[in-house]
Amino acid sequence: MTTLKGKRIGFGLTGSHCTYEVVFPQIEALVKEGAEVRPVVSYTVQSTNTRFGEGADWIERIEELTGFQAIDSIVKAEPLGPKLPLDCMVIAPLTGNSMAKFANAMTDSPVLMAAKATIRNHRPVVLGISTNDALGLNGTNLMRLMSTKNIFFIPFGQDDPFKKPTSMVAHMDLLTKTVEEALQHRQIQPILIGSNE
């Protein structure tokens, strides 16, 4: 088992606001394991207020959990490549929109820049998907990322097969185990698991 003590882990949040409540305990778990967690937030996180909470509040919460100021611009994220390299980059939740951009090399947010910088250094990027079209139009992007070197997935499954048959969500409670395996360049198995319900 890989220890996370002293590991520098980037943690990217994208705009699946309904998933934050299950993600934040996993951030806390990484910190408790001794990891240095550097938060990175997309523009959507910064600018969107929903029934699940206000963007500014989520950012304040992640900064309190990690002890670091959130990286909130592409310019601030770029040094994670050459100057402040990460041992691992996590994006959880990863929306379908960000997944499509990442799969097609579009770097237009702080989170995607942090992921690109990590891939450039041949370090693992861990993805926790949360998207309504994983089994729809985004399926090709999901498969492209699954077959890309140094990209690893938190195990995922359909969250509501009958009402939302193309939707898939990662089992975020497996985040820490996935990171531990990814640091050894191994994909935790199985990747596809049952419903979150």
Side-chain angles (χ1 to χ4, degrees):
M1 182 175 173
T2 303
T3 178
L4 298 181
K5 187 174 179 60
K7 298 292 185 183
R8 182 181 294 132
I9 298 175
F11 203 105
L13 288 180
T14 67
S16 181
H17 303 86
C18 60
T19 316
Y20 296 165
E21 282 295 347
V22 294
V23 167
F24 271 71
Q26 306 311 315
I27 299 171
E28 186 175 7
L30 293 174
V31 172
K32 285 183 177 178
E33 289 286 331
E36 176 188 312
V37 180
R38 298 288 183 131
V40 188
V41 292
S42 72
Y43 297 127
T44 301
V45 175
Q46 298 174 50
S47 63
T48 306
N49 299 325
T50 72
R51 63 190 175 94
F52 300 104
E54 297 192 3
D57 292 337
W58 287 114
I59 292 171
E60 182 180 355
R61 187 170 166 188
I62 198 171
E63 289 178 340
E64 287 177 358
L65 272 177
T66 63
F68 290 98
Q69 186 174 4
I71 295 168
D72 59 4
S73 71
I74 291 174
V75 171
K76 291 178 183 176
E78 197 277 336
L80 296 176
K83 295 180 180 177
L84 192 71
L86 301 171
D87 293 297
C88 179
M89 176 68 192
V90 177
I91 307 176
L94 175 70
T95 61
N97 186 53
S98 290
M99 180 167 71
K101 290 177 178 180
F102 190 29
N104 289 281
M106 296 173 64
T107 310
D108 66 352
S109 80
V111 172
L112 295 177
M113 175 56 77
K116 176 184 175 182
T118 305
I119 289 286
R120 185 174 80 176
N121 289 338
H122 307 289
R123 302 285 175 82
V125 173
V126 169
L127 305 178
I129 66 170
S130 178
T131 172
N132 286 326
D133 66 343
L135 297 177
L137 286 175
N138 235 330
T140 55
N141 296 313
L142 175 61
M143 291 301 109
R144 178 176 290 175
L145 290 170
M146 288 186 74
S147 61
T148 301
K149 186 177 181 181
N150 294 321
I151 293 180
F152 303 90
F153 282 81
I154 300 168
F156 56 86
Q158 290 175 283
D159 53 306
D160 193 344
F162 299 103
K163 293 181 181 177
K164 300 188 296 179
T166 61
S167 178
M168 299 191 92
V169 176
H171 288 244
M172 299 301 180
D173 57 312
L174 296 173
L175 191 152
T176 298
K177 289 182 180 179
T178 305
V179 170
E180 289 172 347
E181 289 295 301
L183 286 167
Q184 299 299 312
H185 294 278
R186 294 192 299 255
Q187 171 62 56
I188 191 173
Q189 296 290 348
I191 301 176
L192 296 175
I193 56 179
S195 171
N196 279 330
E197 294 298 313

